[in-house]
Amino acid sequence: MPSLKVISLGCSKNTVDSEVLSGNAEAAGWTLVAEDSSRPADVVVVNTCGFILDAKQESIDTVLEEVSRKHRRKRGKVVVMGCLVQRYGEQLRREIPDVDAWAGVNDLDAVLRSIFAQTGQEEEKRRKAPALDPFRRELTTPPHYAYLKVSEGCNRQCAFCAIPLIRGRHVSRKEEDIEKEARMLVERGVKELILVAQDLTYYGMDLYGERRIASLARRLCRIEGLHWLRLQYLYPHSFPEDLLEVMRSEPKVCRYVDIPLQHINTEVLRDMLRSATRDETLSLLGRLREALPDAAFRTTLITGFPTEDRERFEELKAFVAGFRFERLGVFAYSREEGTPAFSLGDPVSDEEKEARAQEIMDLQEEISLQRNRSRIGETCEVLVDRVEGEFYVGRTEYDSPEVDNEVLIRRDSADLEPGRFYPVRIVSAEAFDLYGELAEGTGTVKRYAGL
């Protein structure tokens, strides 16, 4: 059978697309080769990211590496798909002519047909293979958690963001289809579902004429065997109030508020087209903290936006120091052609952008260290993700995979199994890691107590 390797770059939404593509290829008789395997494959697919400069460069470097590998081995085909192709397809075709096929976004069936064509067996494969099934996935995450995409695209016009140019307008999936996929994943052993979208709080507006993320979350919480439901990318503007009640009352919903704010200065927010002022942002955060006092808050910020001078940056820095987010990430502004902010120029040097980002992260590191130290002595519910060196590596409900804190438990102290939950007592802490030991007996597993 022909073999396929899919290299997935960028966000978790790309991960889902790659998993669907792999699952359908496998169902059609292809042999899958792991992304990190050195084994050659008949066809290599690179699913690219086109969001910001660093992501675009990583995608281009990966494509060039796979083309070079193809020439060295004198075999195999390279197919490039995804956001970078959608945005720069014609230019890429001219500059990297040795790629065998190109495809954009939102048409995985066409990508699958293109893959089949690379082996010279397209007609035979078409006869054998059914149409692409969006529910068929080959998980690339550990088998106990999975990303679940609830919509495509975005109706927001944030001045710095190219996603609407690439992915198009917001398109929600039907609730029943999302539930069907969720049940299938849980039946396969998934214990944590992570809902992802470009704008999760907008879910349902195009289909039902109202925001339905709260009712969707309640519906998914009824699935037997699901333990955690995590909500990512909660856009702050017009935040649905009924979602607060769901997050407060449903025990399966992780106490985790992922709310990308980008800035706090009113003028910068206005220029970013973020539809909120400083006061409105602070009011929303206050309501969320009051409703969810035991939640961990995560945000992302941008430094070096064209209208961010030093005074406005200091306002942002003071905001971070005052609110004390549990989790925080920072991006240096990337000027993207076609976005509303492109016309503002790029007056802040790259060095200054990075220096400001580092100032924020240095501040956040100290905040995180203080918060983590306050957790010493707690007993928390921990999901073990993997074994790494001398440690079991896990997470609490306050941590999303790959981007947040981890809990490390020495392997010589307990016999644990990845994919299972354990009560773990926190015994020491670093800025972005907790160290724990298996709690004796059942004990009392507390929710976040470090606030």
Side-chain angles (χ1 to χ4, degrees), residues 112-368:
L112 191 65
R113 291 195 301 271
S114 178
I115 292 170
F116 292 166
Q118 303 311 310
T119 62
Q121 301 174 332
E122 183 178 23
E123 293 303 319
E124 178 185 354
K125 290 296 179 185
R126 281 178 175 173
R127 289 194 299 271
K128 290 182 178 180
L132 184 137
D133 183 348
F135 301 107
R136 184 181 290 127
R137 289 171 60 181
E138 177 67 24
L139 293 183
T140 56
T141 57
H144 52 274
Y145 73 81
Y147 297 102
L148 181 56
K149 184 158 49 173
V150 305
S151 65
E152 287 283 4
C154 184
N155 285 5
R156 307 289 180 186
Q157 293 296 321
C158 299
F160 53 82
C161 185
I163 294 299
L165 302 174
I166 299 170
R167 291 276 180 176
R169 292 184 63 80
H170 181 101
V171 179
S172 299
R173 298 176 63 194
K174 294 179 180 179
E175 278 193 21
E176 53 267 32
D177 288 344
I178 297 171
E179 181 184 4
K180 176 183 176 181
E181 184 174 358
R183 290 188 178 277
M184 292 171 62
L185 290 168
V186 172
E187 288 173 2
R188 291 171 56 182
V190 168
K191 297 180 177 67
E192 177 187 11
L193 288 173
I194 306 170
L195 300 192
V196 294
Q198 197 61 36
D199 182 358
L200 198 63
T201 56
Y202 198 78
Y203 171 76
M205 283 293 291
D206 54 321
L207 280 182
Y208 309 111
E210 62 180 356
R211 297 171 188 269
R212 294 279 284 268
I213 186 61
S215 64
L216 175 65
R218 285 199 187 279
R219 186 169 182 163
L220 297 180
C221 284
R222 303 285 83 80
I223 298 176
E224 186 176 353
L226 177 64
H227 195 86
W228 282 351
L229 181 68
R230 188 178 303 279
L231 310 178
Q232 292 198 167
Y233 316 125
L234 300 171
Y235 191 89
H237 182 62
S238 300
F239 194 94
E241 296 296 326
D242 57 348
L243 184 59
L244 287 180
E245 176 58 28
V246 172
M247 298 178 75
R248 181 171 50 221
S249 61
E250 289 286 353
K252 291 185 180 182
V253 176
C254 294
R255 302 304 195 266
Y256 181 84
V257 181
D258 182 8
I259 186 165
L261 298 176
Q262 312 307 351
H263 217 277
I264 194 60
N265 175 268
T266 293
E267 287 72 25
V268 174
L269 289 169
R270 177 201 62 205
D271 295 337
M272 286 180 168
L273 304 180
R274 287 291 287 176
S275 304
T277 65
R278 173 190 173 93
D279 289 345
E280 289 167 343
T281 301
L282 294 176
S283 176
L284 172 61
L285 291 175
R287 296 199 309 275
L288 293 173
R289 275 287 201 215
E290 182 178 3
L292 302 166
D294 57 350
F297 280 61
R298 177 178 179 82
T299 197
T300 52
L301 304 172
I302 294 174
T303 57
F305 189 77
T307 57
E308 180 197 72
D309 57 19
R310 188 69 200 187
E311 181 179 357
R312 291 170 176 177
F313 170 70
E314 290 296 336
E315 181 182 346
L316 177 64
K317 189 175 174 182
F319 164 66
V320 171
F323 190 80
R324 296 175 58 81
F325 288 92
E326 285 76 19
R327 315 284 181 257
L328 185 146
V330 185
F331 293 94
Y333 172 71
S334 176
R335 189 186 186 207
E336 298 297 322
E337 57 268 36
T339 62
F342 189 80
S343 62
L344 298 175
D346 201 11
V348 183
S349 70
D350 291 342
E351 293 78 11
E352 178 64 16
K353 293 174 190 175
E354 294 292 345
R356 293 180 189 179
Q358 190 59 52
E359 282 189 54
I360 296 287
M361 286 311 302
D362 288 345
L363 175 59
Q364 180 61 29
E365 182 174 358
E366 181 60 32
I367 292 170
S368 183

Side-chain angles (χ1 to χ4, degrees), residues 5 7-9 34-41 43-46 48 56-80 84 92 95-100 102:
K5 176 188 288 190
I7 300 172
S8 192
L9 305 172
E35 181 176 337
D36 58 357
S37 173
S38 60
R39 175 187 168 189
V43 178
V44 175
V45 175
V46 182
T48 60
K56 289 185 286 187
Q57 189 60 55
E58 180 188 20
S59 293
I60 291 171
D61 290 345
T62 303
V63 171
L64 293 174
E65 181 180 346
E66 292 305 319
V67 168
S68 176
R69 184 174 287 117
K70 178 184 77 168
H71 288 319
R72 290 199 306 271
R73 290 173 173 168
K74 295 183 171 53
R75 60 162 291 181
K77 304 286 185 178
V78 177
V79 175
V80 183
L84 193 71
L92 289 168
E95 296 185 359
I96 316 179
D98 290 337
V99 168
D100 297 283
W102 302 87

